[in-house]
Amino acid sequence: MKKVVLAYSGGLDTSIIIPWLKENYGCEVIAFCADLGQGEELEPVKRKAIKSGASKIYVEDLVEEFVTQYCWPVLKAGAVYEKKYLLGTSFARPLIAKKLVEIAEQEGADAICHGATGKGNDQVRFELGIKALNPDLKIIAPWREWHIRSREDAIEYAAAHGIEVPVTKEKIYSRDRNLWHISHEGGLLEDPANERPDDLLILTVPPEQAPDKPTYVEIGFEQGIPVSLNGQKYGAVELLTELNRLGGANGVGIVTIVENRLVGMKSRGVYETPGGTILHAAHDELERLTLDRRTLQFKEQVAIKYAELVYDGNWFSKLKKCLDAFIDETQKTVTGTVRVKLYKGSCEAVASTSPYSLYSEDLATFGADEIYSHKDAEGFINLFGLPLKVQALMERKATGI
């Protein structure tokens, strides 16, 4: 290996990988850090990468692309992994993989390196993305090669090499942050018997500390994509940023989950997804108003498969592309406004309107109407219930009762 492009975050693992690559592969290391909206975490990245031994570092602002090309498709799909996880880390990885490949090709690199562990899902997501986009590039995964076996070992390696890292043996949480969410793993969270501590939270206040009065927000959608708040047009990044602020202030979007990793083990973590939680609730409500029963129910089945594909790193797969085409067709009438109530951790869609609404007050009313004849229900029930009636008659005949 002469030249390697490293997926670099400035965190514990990727910080020590730079000197490790130079020691063990004798190669030039080019670092790449994707700005996905992680905020102040990016400030020291350039200085740290060069100080750790990288010859060059790319820091690219990908926030707009991340929201419009990755967050919104998953939102339109209604994809939630195992009923709780809104996939914030999962769909960030294919975008990073895409940019790693572009830089590797631009720099004439031999390989791409990532800091995902051999126990996690991210190794699969990175490597499937790289294989799909450039199968000729080699992949280096230090956690599958080196003698380091724990985060404590990694901290000691960093100290021995004079590398500043943002964790200690006392504050050892592993975190991943972008504009959609932040995840927390490790430390006392690894024991499911432990409740998550309030001081863990970064984007969200504990629900008990949220305001005593509810906050309302109206979200406007066009073909399944959120475009406005309270009647005012917003860009994608600005809209999600504002919903993160509102949701975070009201304790919305905190999830503690024991999830099934792709590699076969269960893991436990805490996710904060304030804006995404609000958007999912609003989008779901608008679909209930605008999609017919069969389409809505089939789309719910598709959402489960879609979430699994994204979680498993199959973002660039043929099946996902086909499902995207189906989902985009369903979203043509998902236009309208949804009013959401935020209160002490809860997020409830309380009202919705749409020019494509399939709800008819004239049909649904308990009052008198001129459209629906109650007498028609008798024939419908006789036909709909005919198989049950035939079965009952057969069983009576067979038993002689």
Side-chain angles (χ1 to χ4, degrees), residues 339-376:
R339 192 175 190 222
V340 181
K341 178 182 178 181
L342 314 175
Y343 181 65
K344 289 189 176 296
S346 68
C347 173
E348 179 186 5
V350 295
S352 57
T353 62
S354 171
Y356 300 101
S357 173
L358 298 179
Y359 178 86
S360 171
E361 189 174 349
D362 291 338
L363 282 173
T365 181
F366 284 97
D369 68 82
E370 302 297 328
I371 302 175
Y372 186 90
S373 172
H374 291 266
K375 293 181 180 179
D376 293 342

mmCIF file of all heavy atoms in Angstrom, residues 339-376:
data_model
loop_
_atom_site.group_PDB
_atom_site.id
_atom_site.type_symbol
_atom_site.label_atom_id
_atom_site.label_comp_id
_atom_site.label_asym_id
_atom_site.label_seq_id
_atom_site.Cartn_x
_atom_site.Cartn_y
_atom_site.Cartn_z
ATOM 1 N N ARG A 339 -50.523 19.179 11.873
ATOM 2 C CA ARG A 339 -50.246 19.891 13.132
ATOM 3 C C ARG A 339 -49.822 18.881 14.182
ATOM 4 O O ARG A 339 -50.512 17.884 14.415
ATOM 5 C CB ARG A 339 -51.485 20.649 13.595
ATOM 6 C CG ARG A 339 -51.209 21.644 14.726
ATOM 7 C CD ARG A 339 -52.455 22.442 15.053
ATOM 8 N NE ARG A 339 -52.168 23.547 15.952
ATOM 9 C CZ ARG A 339 -52.933 23.893 16.980
ATOM 10 N NH1 ARG A 339 -54.052 23.214 17.236
ATOM 11 N NH2 ARG A 339 -52.613 24.911 17.745
ATOM 12 N N VAL A 340 -48.656 19.138 14.800
ATOM 13 C CA VAL A 340 -48.087 18.195 15.757
ATOM 14 C C VAL A 340 -47.964 18.867 17.125
ATOM 15 O O VAL A 340 -47.544 20.020 17.233
ATOM 16 C CB VAL A 340 -46.696 17.707 15.287
ATOM 17 C CG1 VAL A 340 -46.126 16.692 16.277
ATOM 18 C CG2 VAL A 340 -46.792 17.079 13.894
ATOM 19 N N LYS A 341 -48.337 18.128 18.142
ATOM 20 C CA LYS A 341 -48.271 18.611 19.526
ATOM 21 C C LYS A 341 -47.091 17.958 20.234
ATOM 22 O O LYS A 341 -46.963 16.736 20.275
ATOM 23 C CB LYS A 341 -49.575 18.247 20.257
ATOM 24 C CG LYS A 341 -49.622 18.641 21.723
ATOM 25 C CD LYS A 341 -50.936 18.184 22.340
ATOM 26 C CE LYS A 341 -51.019 18.519 23.823
ATOM 27 N NZ LYS A 341 -52.305 18.050 24.411
ATOM 28 N N LEU A 342 -46.207 18.794 20.780
ATOM 29 C CA LEU A 342 -45.027 18.324 21.494
ATOM 30 C C LEU A 342 -45.207 18.630 22.977
ATOM 31 O O LEU A 342 -45.448 19.780 23.359
ATOM 32 C CB LEU A 342 -43.762 19.026 20.969
ATOM 33 C CG LEU A 342 -43.596 19.111 19.447
ATOM 34 C CD1 LEU A 342 -42.354 19.932 19.108
ATOM 35 C CD2 LEU A 342 -43.523 17.729 18.832
ATOM 36 N N TYR A 343 -45.062 17.591 23.808
ATOM 37 C CA TYR A 343 -45.260 17.841 25.238
ATOM 38 C C TYR A 343 -44.531 16.793 26.066
ATOM 39 O O TYR A 343 -44.874 15.617 26.045
ATOM 40 C CB TYR A 343 -46.743 17.815 25.588
ATOM 41 C CG TYR A 343 -47.036 18.101 27.053
ATOM 42 C CD1 TYR A 343 -46.738 19.349 27.611
ATOM 43 C CD2 TYR A 343 -47.584 17.122 27.871
ATOM 44 C CE1 TYR A 343 -47.001 19.602 28.951
ATOM 45 C CE2 TYR A 343 -47.848 17.371 29.206
ATOM 46 C CZ TYR A 343 -47.543 18.613 29.735
ATOM 47 O OH TYR A 343 -47.801 18.865 31.065
ATOM 48 N N LYS A 344 -43.500 17.234 26.773
ATOM 49 C CA LYS A 344 -42.771 16.409 27.732
ATOM 50 C C LYS A 344 -42.434 15.014 27.185
ATOM 51 O O LYS A 344 -42.751 13.990 27.778
ATOM 52 C CB LYS A 344 -43.554 16.294 29.037
ATOM 53 C CG LYS A 344 -43.557 17.610 29.837
ATOM 54 C CD LYS A 344 -44.128 17.430 31.212
ATOM 55 C CE LYS A 344 -44.041 18.712 32.033
ATOM 56 N NZ LYS A 344 -42.671 19.163 32.306
ATOM 57 N N GLY A 345 -41.808 15.000 26.014
ATOM 58 C CA GLY A 345 -41.358 13.750 25.429
ATOM 59 C C GLY A 345 -42.325 13.110 24.457
ATOM 60 O O GLY A 345 -41.941 12.225 23.691
ATOM 61 N N SER A 346 -43.593 13.535 24.480
ATOM 62 C CA SER A 346 -44.568 12.960 23.554
ATOM 63 C C SER A 346 -44.642 13.793 22.284
ATOM 64 O O SER A 346 -44.357 14.989 22.276
ATOM 65 C CB SER A 346 -45.953 12.883 24.205
ATOM 66 O OG SER A 346 -46.488 14.182 24.401
ATOM 67 N N CYS A 347 -45.036 13.133 21.208
ATOM 68 C CA CYS A 347 -45.123 13.774 19.904
ATOM 69 C C CYS A 347 -46.372 13.211 19.220
ATOM 70 O O CYS A 347 -46.383 12.055 18.801
ATOM 71 C CB CYS A 347 -43.860 13.466 19.105
ATOM 72 S SG CYS A 347 -43.895 14.033 17.406
ATOM 73 N N GLU A 348 -47.420 14.018 19.112
ATOM 74 C CA GLU A 348 -48.704 13.529 18.605
ATOM 75 C C GLU A 348 -49.185 14.394 17.452
ATOM 76 O O GLU A 348 -49.271 15.617 17.572
ATOM 77 C CB GLU A 348 -49.751 13.542 19.727
ATOM 78 C CG GLU A 348 -51.115 13.061 19.286
ATOM 79 C CD GLU A 348 -52.173 13.206 20.368
ATOM 80 O OE1 GLU A 348 -51.862 13.773 21.432
ATOM 81 O OE2 GLU A 348 -53.308 12.753 20.143
ATOM 82 N N ALA A 349 -49.489 13.755 16.329
ATOM 83 C CA ALA A 349 -50.111 14.465 15.212
ATOM 84 C C ALA A 349 -51.591 14.634 15.544
ATOM 85 O O ALA A 349 -52.321 13.648 15.678
ATOM 86 C CB ALA A 349 -49.932 13.674 13.928
ATOM 87 N N VAL A 350 -52.025 15.876 15.691
ATOM 88 C CA VAL A 350 -53.383 16.121 16.186
ATOM 89 C C VAL A 350 -54.343 16.619 15.110
ATOM 90 O O VAL A 350 -55.559 16.623 15.326
ATOM 91 C CB VAL A 350 -53.357 17.125 17.364
ATOM 92 C CG1 VAL A 350 -52.614 16.524 18.549
ATOM 93 C CG2 VAL A 350 -52.726 18.454 16.955
ATOM 94 N N ALA A 351 -53.853 17.056 13.962
ATOM 95 C CA ALA A 351 -54.735 17.544 12.904
ATOM 96 C C ALA A 351 -54.011 17.474 11.571
ATOM 97 O O ALA A 351 -52.782 17.599 11.509
ATOM 98 C CB ALA A 351 -55.177 18.984 13.187
ATOM 99 N N SER A 352 -54.766 17.273 10.484
ATOM 100 C CA SER A 352 -54.152 17.190 9.161
ATOM 101 C C SER A 352 -55.137 17.626 8.087
ATOM 102 O O SER A 352 -56.353 17.433 8.226
ATOM 103 C CB SER A 352 -53.677 15.756 8.877
ATOM 104 O OG SER A 352 -54.751 14.836 8.983
ATOM 105 N N THR A 353 -54.598 18.229 7.043
ATOM 106 C CA THR A 353 -55.399 18.627 5.890
ATOM 107 C C THR A 353 -54.617 18.329 4.617
ATOM 108 O O THR A 353 -53.383 18.355 4.614
ATOM 109 C CB THR A 353 -55.735 20.138 5.914
ATOM 110 O OG1 THR A 353 -54.499 20.891 5.859
ATOM 111 C CG2 THR A 353 -56.499 20.521 7.163
ATOM 112 N N SER A 354 -55.338 18.040 3.544
ATOM 113 C CA SER A 354 -54.687 17.775 2.262
ATOM 114 C C SER A 354 -55.678 17.958 1.120
ATOM 115 O O SER A 354 -56.842 17.558 1.243
ATOM 116 C CB SER A 354 -54.134 16.349 2.213
ATOM 117 O OG SER A 354 -53.689 16.025 0.904
ATOM 118 N N PRO A 355 -55.225 18.541 -0.002
ATOM 119 C CA PRO A 355 -56.094 18.612 -1.180
ATOM 120 C C PRO A 355 -56.363 17.239 -1.771
ATOM 121 O O PRO A 355 -57.277 17.086 -2.592
ATOM 122 C CB PRO A 355 -55.296 19.492 -2.148
ATOM 123 C CG PRO A 355 -53.873 19.357 -1.731
ATOM 124 C CD PRO A 355 -53.917 19.187 -0.243
ATOM 125 N N TYR A 356 -55.600 16.225 -1.353
ATOM 126 C CA TYR A 356 -55.783 14.863 -1.848
ATOM 127 C C TYR A 356 -56.395 13.949 -0.786
ATOM 128 O O TYR A 356 -56.304 12.725 -0.888
ATOM 129 C CB TYR A 356 -54.432 14.285 -2.294
ATOM 130 C CG TYR A 356 -53.764 15.071 -3.392
ATOM 131 C CD1 TYR A 356 -52.722 15.955 -3.103
ATOM 132 C CD2 TYR A 356 -54.179 14.955 -4.717
ATOM 133 C CE1 TYR A 356 -52.103 16.684 -4.106
ATOM 134 C CE2 TYR A 356 -53.572 15.677 -5.726
ATOM 135 C CZ TYR A 356 -52.535 16.546 -5.416
ATOM 136 O OH TYR A 356 -51.940 17.272 -6.417
ATOM 137 N N SER A 357 -57.025 14.530 0.210
ATOM 138 C CA SER A 357 -57.608 13.740 1.294
ATOM 139 C C SER A 357 -58.645 12.758 0.763
ATOM 140 O O SER A 357 -59.514 13.110 -0.040
ATOM 141 C CB SER A 357 -58.253 14.671 2.319
ATOM 142 O OG SER A 357 -58.965 13.913 3.290
ATOM 143 N N LEU A 358 -58.556 11.519 1.236
ATOM 144 C CA LEU A 358 -59.541 10.493 0.888
ATOM 145 C C LEU A 358 -60.610 10.374 1.963
ATOM 146 O O LEU A 358 -61.516 9.543 1.843
ATOM 147 C CB LEU A 358 -58.850 9.138 0.695
ATOM 148 C CG LEU A 358 -57.820 9.066 -0.442
ATOM 149 C CD1 LEU A 358 -57.182 7.683 -0.504
ATOM 150 C CD2 LEU A 358 -58.455 9.420 -1.772
ATOM 151 N N TYR A 359 -60.503 11.200 2.976
ATOM 152 C CA TYR A 359 -61.500 11.199 4.043
ATOM 153 C C TYR A 359 -62.698 12.023 3.610
ATOM 154 O O TYR A 359 -62.564 13.183 3.184
ATOM 155 C CB TYR A 359 -60.912 11.776 5.333
ATOM 156 C CG TYR A 359 -61.899 11.851 6.475
ATOM 157 C CD1 TYR A 359 -62.095 10.755 7.306
ATOM 158 C CD2 TYR A 359 -62.634 13.011 6.714
ATOM 159 C CE1 TYR A 359 -63.003 10.807 8.353
ATOM 160 C CE2 TYR A 359 -63.548 13.069 7.755
ATOM 161 C CZ TYR A 359 -63.729 11.967 8.570
ATOM 162 O OH TYR A 359 -64.622 12.023 9.596
ATOM 163 N N SER A 360 -63.898 11.448 3.720
ATOM 164 C CA SER A 360 -65.130 12.159 3.380
ATOM 165 C C SER A 360 -65.998 12.273 4.613
ATOM 166 O O SER A 360 -66.489 11.265 5.141
ATOM 167 C CB SER A 360 -65.890 11.418 2.270
ATOM 168 O OG SER A 360 -67.177 11.982 2.094
ATOM 169 N N GLU A 361 -66.190 13.481 5.075
ATOM 170 C CA GLU A 361 -67.043 13.695 6.240
ATOM 171 C C GLU A 361 -68.476 13.286 5.941
ATOM 172 O O GLU A 361 -69.192 12.783 6.807
ATOM 173 C CB GLU A 361 -66.989 15.160 6.665
ATOM 174 C CG GLU A 361 -67.670 15.438 8.000
ATOM 175 C CD GLU A 361 -67.482 16.867 8.470
ATOM 176 O OE1 GLU A 361 -66.655 17.581 7.877
ATOM 177 O OE2 GLU A 361 -68.175 17.253 9.426
ATOM 178 N N ASP A 362 -68.891 13.464 4.694
ATOM 179 C CA ASP A 362 -70.246 13.077 4.306
ATOM 180 C C ASP A 362 -70.461 11.577 4.458
ATOM 181 O O ASP A 362 -71.560 11.127 4.826
ATOM 182 C CB ASP A 362 -70.525 13.485 2.857
ATOM 183 C CG ASP A 362 -70.610 14.995 2.691
ATOM 184 O OD1 ASP A 362 -70.880 15.690 3.701
ATOM 185 O OD2 ASP A 362 -70.379 15.475 1.571
ATOM 186 N N LEU A 363 -69.427 10.789 4.168
ATOM 187 C CA LEU A 363 -69.540 9.338 4.296
ATOM 188 C C LEU A 363 -69.367 8.869 5.736
ATOM 189 O O LEU A 363 -70.039 7.945 6.179
ATOM 190 C CB LEU A 363 -68.488 8.659 3.419
ATOM 191 C CG LEU A 363 -68.780 8.591 1.923
ATOM 192 C CD1 LEU A 363 -67.577 8.041 1.174
ATOM 193 C CD2 LEU A 363 -70.000 7.707 1.661
ATOM 194 N N ALA A 364 -68.445 9.506 6.468
ATOM 195 C CA ALA A 364 -68.100 9.033 7.807
ATOM 196 C C ALA A 364 -69.084 9.479 8.882
ATOM 197 O O ALA A 364 -69.102 8.908 9.967
ATOM 198 C CB ALA A 364 -66.700 9.511 8.176
ATOM 199 N N THR A 365 -69.906 10.484 8.604
ATOM 200 C CA THR A 365 -70.778 11.051 9.626
ATOM 201 C C THR A 365 -71.765 10.028 10.189
ATOM 202 O O THR A 365 -72.208 9.120 9.474
ATOM 203 C CB THR A 365 -71.550 12.258 9.059
ATOM 204 O OG1 THR A 365 -72.380 12.795 10.089
ATOM 205 C CG2 THR A 365 -72.431 11.853 7.875
ATOM 206 N N PHE A 366 -72.094 10.195 11.478
ATOM 207 C CA PHE A 366 -73.133 9.391 12.101
ATOM 208 C C PHE A 366 -74.507 10.024 11.887
ATOM 209 O O PHE A 366 -75.532 9.451 12.255
ATOM 210 C CB PHE A 366 -72.866 9.222 13.606
ATOM 211 C CG PHE A 366 -71.786 8.227 13.897
ATOM 212 C CD1 PHE A 366 -70.486 8.638 14.124
ATOM 213 C CD2 PHE A 366 -72.056 6.875 13.922
ATOM 214 C CE1 PHE A 366 -69.489 7.714 14.389
ATOM 215 C CE2 PHE A 366 -71.065 5.947 14.182
ATOM 216 C CZ PHE A 366 -69.770 6.371 14.422
ATOM 217 N N GLY A 367 -74.496 11.216 11.302
ATOM 218 C CA GLY A 367 -75.755 11.889 11.001
ATOM 219 C C GLY A 367 -76.334 11.385 9.691
ATOM 220 O O GLY A 367 -75.792 10.505 9.019
ATOM 221 N N ALA A 368 -77.454 11.965 9.300
ATOM 222 C CA ALA A 368 -78.099 11.569 8.056
ATOM 223 C C ALA A 368 -77.263 11.995 6.862
ATOM 224 O O ALA A 368 -76.636 13.047 6.882
ATOM 225 C CB ALA A 368 -79.495 12.200 7.978
ATOM 226 N N ASP A 369 -77.239 11.147 5.835
ATOM 227 C CA ASP A 369 -76.533 11.519 4.616
ATOM 228 C C ASP A 369 -77.280 10.949 3.418
ATOM 229 O O ASP A 369 -78.118 10.058 3.551
ATOM 230 C CB ASP A 369 -75.087 11.016 4.641
ATOM 231 C CG ASP A 369 -74.994 9.506 4.555
ATOM 232 O OD1 ASP A 369 -75.071 8.996 3.437
ATOM 233 O OD2 ASP A 369 -74.842 8.852 5.616
ATOM 234 N N GLU A 370 -76.942 11.455 2.248
ATOM 235 C CA GLU A 370 -77.629 11.058 1.018
ATOM 236 C C GLU A 370 -76.763 10.163 0.141
ATOM 237 O O GLU A 370 -77.168 9.790 -0.962
ATOM 238 C CB GLU A 370 -78.025 12.324 0.219
ATOM 239 C CG GLU A 370 -78.911 13.291 0.992
ATOM 240 C CD GLU A 370 -80.259 12.676 1.360
ATOM 241 O OE1 GLU A 370 -80.754 11.836 0.571
ATOM 242 O OE2 GLU A 370 -80.785 13.005 2.436
ATOM 243 N N ILE A 371 -75.552 9.816 0.596
ATOM 244 C CA ILE A 371 -74.611 9.083 -0.245
ATOM 245 C C ILE A 371 -74.621 7.595 0.064
ATOM 246 O O ILE A 371 -74.651 6.754 -0.834
ATOM 247 C CB ILE A 371 -73.183 9.646 -0.062
ATOM 248 C CG1 ILE A 371 -73.166 11.143 -0.408
ATOM 249 C CG2 ILE A 371 -72.177 8.893 -0.915
ATOM 250 C CD1 ILE A 371 -71.835 11.805 -0.144
ATOM 251 N N TYR A 372 -74.626 7.262 1.343
ATOM 252 C CA TYR A 372 -74.431 5.876 1.775
ATOM 253 C C TYR A 372 -75.761 5.281 2.209
ATOM 254 O O TYR A 372 -76.462 5.843 3.063
ATOM 255 C CB TYR A 372 -73.429 5.837 2.929
ATOM 256 C CG TYR A 372 -73.031 4.454 3.391
ATOM 257 C CD1 TYR A 372 -71.949 3.808 2.828
ATOM 258 C CD2 TYR A 372 -73.742 3.798 4.395
ATOM 259 C CE1 TYR A 372 -71.566 2.540 3.237
ATOM 260 C CE2 TYR A 372 -73.370 2.533 4.818
ATOM 261 C CZ TYR A 372 -72.289 1.908 4.245
ATOM 262 O OH TYR A 372 -71.912 0.663 4.658
ATOM 263 N N SER A 373 -76.111 4.151 1.626
ATOM 264 C CA SER A 373 -77.328 3.456 2.030
ATOM 265 C C SER A 373 -76.976 2.333 2.999
ATOM 266 O O SER A 373 -76.220 1.419 2.660
ATOM 267 C CB SER A 373 -78.037 2.872 0.802
ATOM 268 O OG SER A 373 -79.126 2.048 1.212
ATOM 269 N N HIS A 374 -77.535 2.398 4.197
ATOM 270 C CA HIS A 374 -77.255 1.371 5.200
ATOM 271 C C HIS A 374 -77.736 0.003 4.748
ATOM 272 O O HIS A 374 -77.177 -1.028 5.150
ATOM 273 C CB HIS A 374 -77.913 1.748 6.529
ATOM 274 C CG HIS A 374 -77.289 2.942 7.187
ATOM 275 N ND1 HIS A 374 -76.306 2.846 8.138
ATOM 276 C CD2 HIS A 374 -77.517 4.269 7.006
ATOM 277 C CE1 HIS A 374 -75.940 4.073 8.530
ATOM 278 N NE2 HIS A 374 -76.671 4.953 7.859
ATOM 279 N N LYS A 375 -78.769 -0.026 3.888
ATOM 280 C CA LYS A 375 -79.292 -1.306 3.414
ATOM 281 C C LYS A 375 -78.269 -2.067 2.581
ATOM 282 O O LYS A 375 -78.293 -3.293 2.527
ATOM 283 C CB LYS A 375 -80.558 -1.068 2.589
ATOM 284 C CG LYS A 375 -81.736 -0.531 3.404
ATOM 285 C CD LYS A 375 -82.963 -0.345 2.521
ATOM 286 C CE LYS A 375 -84.135 0.196 3.345
ATOM 287 N NZ LYS A 375 -85.339 0.392 2.484
ATOM 288 N N ASP A 376 -77.351 -1.335 1.919
ATOM 289 C CA ASP A 376 -76.330 -1.991 1.093
ATOM 290 C C ASP A 376 -75.395 -2.863 1.918
ATOM 291 O O ASP A 376 -74.802 -3.817 1.394
ATOM 292 C CB ASP A 376 -75.502 -0.940 0.347
ATOM 293 C CG ASP A 376 -76.318 -0.202 -0.699
ATOM 294 O OD1 ASP A 376 -77.389 -0.714 -1.083
ATOM 295 O OD2 ASP A 376 -75.876 0.885 -1.130
#
